[in-house]
Amino acid sequence: MKHSCSVSHKSKRQVARSIFLSRFRPVGILEEDEEEVKLPPKDCDLFTGNWVFDNITHPLYKEDECKFLSEQVACIRNGRQDSLYQNWRWQPRDCFLPKFKARLLLEKLRGKRLMFVGDSLNRNQWESMVCLLQSAISPGKKSHEKSGSLVIYSIEEYNTTVEFYWAPFLVESNSDNPWSHSVKDRIIMPESIKNRGDDWKDVDFLIFNTYIWWMNTGYMKVLRGSFDADPIEYDEIERPIAYGRVLKTWAKWVEENVDSKFTSVYFMSMSPLHIKSLDWNNPDGIMCAKETLPVMNMSSPPNVGTDHRLFLIAENVTQSMKVPVYFLNITTLSEYRKDAHTSVYTTRKGQLITPEQQADPATFADCIHWCLPGLPDTWNELLYTHIISHS
């Protein structure tokens, strides 16, 4: 596969291929605060590597220094005693990720909008990005506001916004209310995007995901008719078939509404769960609770139940698109990180888990979302690497 280059919009549309994050321009050097930031070589596979313990450079920020963090992901504040999960650095096999420099990224974002679109894992990554940037922002020069499905973090001195848009299936569903979406029967409209995706238009960096809301059942409920009908009618369709229909609709929207000269599009692969401790050979474990280290045998990732059928669908769809989409393969590197979930140091239905509930991890442990600082910071290091390499 080849890289994006300076060609006409028409010729770009004629080349049907995806551009993957693991392909970069030749090694370059950027200067920021009189410190060189070295870029990886273009042929480096950033997604194959190992987790290295590094308590010198990681975490990239401290939990108590990011006042923006929500209760859901502030694990130390919520009583977690161990903190080693914050000290692991992803090391690609054949190169190094560039040092994260908040001011350098902010310069690349100056006058632009960056938006995460998707489910609560993309919100997890959005919170991480805000914390990574906030240390370089002057006090009083940042603000935070909510408007419907959109949450906007504004950075006045750089005239930029870092935004999150709640769309757990990317297409329209009965779960699109960002504050009230815990519905028993999740029903989707695979060929319809809410408000025609108007809120996603004219954004400079779009980062999409959709996965965790697909994992409740092997079949998805697909609306037949209207949500206003009584009773609501639907068909049940196998998960991969429904997922393929949704990504086809999403790809069509991207190709009809995105001009790659002005907008970069990213698709995050699947963020894994760690539900069964037998998956990493811990018969005495209770889900991800009390896990304090990654899977240390990194010769191959554990089989933790990730639906790789959906991974292949996303990979194939992004490869076949006319508008370049950068596919960020966070799945494998995240499958090692059984230690990094919020577990019982989080919220449930908007309320902080009580000590009594913490004592019952089999019922209350959250092995879906991730503590911050933590794993989503690495996802953003990968995103950062691509942005600074291609801007």
Side-chain angles (χ1 to χ4, degrees):
M1 289 176 289
K2 294 184 179 179
H3 246 319
S4 174
C5 55
S6 297
V7 294
S8 69
H9 180 62
K10 180 178 180 181
S11 60
K12 281 184 180 178
R13 302 279 296 181
Q14 292 170 342
V15 180
R17 65 187 64 199
S18 174
I19 302 177
F20 280 72
L21 179 57
S22 57
R23 305 284 183 159
F24 287 95
R25 68 186 186 188
V27 172
I29 296 177
L30 299 175
E31 292 185 3
E32 198 268 350
D33 291 345
E34 299 182 354
E35 182 179 357
E36 293 180 348
V37 177
K38 296 182 179 179
L39 304 178
K42 64 178 181 180
D43 58 349
C44 183
D45 174 9
L46 298 182
F47 308 113
T48 300
N50 293 283
W51 286 102
V52 176
F53 186 77
D54 179 356
N55 61 357
I56 304 300
T57 67
H58 285 64
L60 296 171
Y61 55 90
K62 296 186 183 302
E63 180 184 304
D64 59 3
E65 292 175 353
C66 186
K67 306 303 182 184
F68 173 82
L69 276 181
S70 68
E71 275 193 323
Q72 183 184 27
V73 297
C75 298
I76 299 295
R77 188 196 309 165
N78 296 337
R80 183 165 180 171
Q81 298 299 307
D82 67 294
S83 61
L84 294 181
Y85 67 89
Q86 300 181 357
N87 300 127
W88 294 91
R89 171 175 55 81
W90 180 247
Q91 175 58 62
R93 182 181 57 194
D94 299 320
C95 63
F96 287 86
L97 293 177
K99 182 177 181 179
F100 186 89
K101 303 291 288 184
R103 285 190 178 87
L104 175 58
L105 181 56
L106 283 167
E107 285 297 340
K108 298 294 183 181
L109 298 179
R110 185 181 288 277
K112 301 180 185 298
R113 298 172 65 195
L114 184 148
M115 181 187 290
F116 294 90
V117 180
D119 58 31
S120 54
L121 276 308
N122 243 19
R123 185 177 62 214
N124 212 169
Q125 187 177 356
W126 168 71
E127 285 196 55
S128 160
M129 179 61 81
V130 171
C131 288
L132 286 165
L133 293 175
Q134 58 89 33
S135 64
I137 305 167
S138 303
K141 298 294 185 179
K142 49 196 174 185
S143 61
H144 172 225
E145 61 180 301
K146 301 175 182 178
S147 176
S149 296
L150 190 63
V151 186
I152 304 171
Y153 186 82
S154 300
I155 306 168
E156 180 182 329
E157 58 193 304
Y158 288 90
N159 188 29
T160 189
T161 58
V162 180
E163 308 173 35
F164 170 71
Y165 187 94
W166 173 260
F169 295 105
L170 297 183
V171 295
E172 196 167 353
S173 75
N174 65 344
S175 306
D176 290 339
N177 185 323
W179 316 116
S180 177
H181 48 251
S182 296
V183 295
K184 181 179 179 181
D185 292 317
R186 298 170 178 179
I187 306 172
I188 63 173
M189 298 176 66
E191 281 71 48
S192 175
I193 291 178
K194 182 181 177 181
N195 297 332
R196 302 171 302 281
D198 286 346
D199 290 313
W200 310 345
K201 295 176 182 177
D202 302 318
V203 175
D204 302 277
F205 299 93
L206 282 165
I207 302 98
F208 293 95
N209 91 317
T210 180
Y211 177 66
I212 193 60
W213 279 58
W214 295 81
M215 298 304 290
N216 279 18
T217 175
Y219 286 78
M220 296 300 299
K221 294 179 173 64
V222 173
L223 183 69
R224 190 196 317 144
S226 168
F227 282 124
D228 296 326
D230 187 14
I232 294 175
E233 297 183 341
Y234 56 81
D235 299 311
E236 295 198 25
I237 296 176
E238 290 184 17
R239 183 196 299 157
I241 295 174
Y243 194 82
R245 285 174 60 179
V246 164
L247 288 202
K248 182 179 179 181
T249 298
W250 166 80
K252 183 173 183 288
W253 182 91
V254 170
E255 294 188 339
E256 291 179 350
N257 293 280
V258 167
D259 185 340
S260 58
K261 293 195 299 290
F262 303 106
T263 299
S264 297
V265 182
Y266 300 84
F267 194 94
M268 307 299 298
S269 72
M270 293 68 206
S271 171
L273 296 74
H274 292 87
I275 301 297
K276 300 176 182 178
S277 63
L278 282 175
D279 292 342
W280 52 90
N281 300 316
N282 182 7
D284 299 322
I286 303 175
M287 304 172 67
C288 65
K290 299 182 180 180
E291 297 290 344
T292 59
L293 295 172
V295 175
M296 300 310 293
N297 178 5
M298 297 186 189
S299 57
S300 62
N303 181 1
V304 294
T306 304
D307 192 337
H308 288 279
R309 299 172 301 173
L310 305 193
F311 182 100
L312 290 174
I313 290 168
E315 187 178 45
N316 290 336
V317 167
T318 54
Q319 279 182 323
S320 66
M321 292 172 64
K322 297 175 182 178
V323 171
V325 174
Y326 304 96
F327 186 78
L328 279 69
N329 178 8
I330 61 168
T331 302
T332 301
L333 62 89
S334 302
E335 286 175 331
Y336 296 111
R337 296 305 308 274
K338 61 183 174 66
D339 60 312
H341 289 286
T342 53
S343 184
V344 294
Y345 307 103
T346 184
T347 57
R348 188 179 178 95
K349 296 182 179 179
Q351 300 297 315
L352 196 62
I353 288 181
T354 65
E356 292 76 18
Q357 292 171 330
Q358 287 182 340
D360 182 13
T363 302
F364 292 99
D366 179 349
C367 300
I368 297 171
H369 301 96
W370 309 92
C371 298
L372 291 177
L375 176 63
D377 302 327
T378 297
W379 303 347
N380 278 324
E381 286 186 89
L382 295 166
L383 177 62
Y384 159 82
T385 300
H386 191 272
I387 291 175
I388 68 170
S389 298
H390 287 76
S391 297

